[in-house]
Amino acid sequence: NTAPVEDIADLPADSLGRRLGMERAGWIVAYRAANGIVSLSELLNIVGIGPKTLDAIRACECTIPAR
């Protein structure tokens, strides 16, 4: 995936409609660059991304495949 941090920042963070934001999006991009991302569940390896955030991302049917 080559989605820029700005696009990832707009993904849902919870069921209340809050968004991931630039900081957490930056963590995802850094993790993706270092490790690749094969499945969304790998986002749980990132400090600051928990089960509720992962559920919100899954609910929007988003994917963040490996580069």
Side-chain angles (χ1 to χ4, degrees):
N1 184 339
T2 58
V5 68
E6 296 83 7
D7 290 349
I8 296 172
D10 199 38
L11 293 173
D14 58 33
S15 61
L16 300 176
R18 292 180 284 205
R19 300 293 174 195
L20 282 178
M22 293 299 287
E23 184 176 22
R24 284 192 281 183
W27 301 338
I28 292 171
V29 169
Y31 182 89
R32 179 183 68 195
N35 306 291
I37 297 177
V38 176
S39 72
L40 285 177
S41 62
E42 290 181 56
L43 295 178
L44 293 174
N45 295 329
I46 303 169
V47 174
I49 305 290
K52 289 181 182 179
T53 300
L54 182 60
D55 288 346
I57 293 170
R58 280 189 174 135
C60 80
E61 299 181 18
C62 303
T63 58
I64 305 175
R67 289 174 30 158

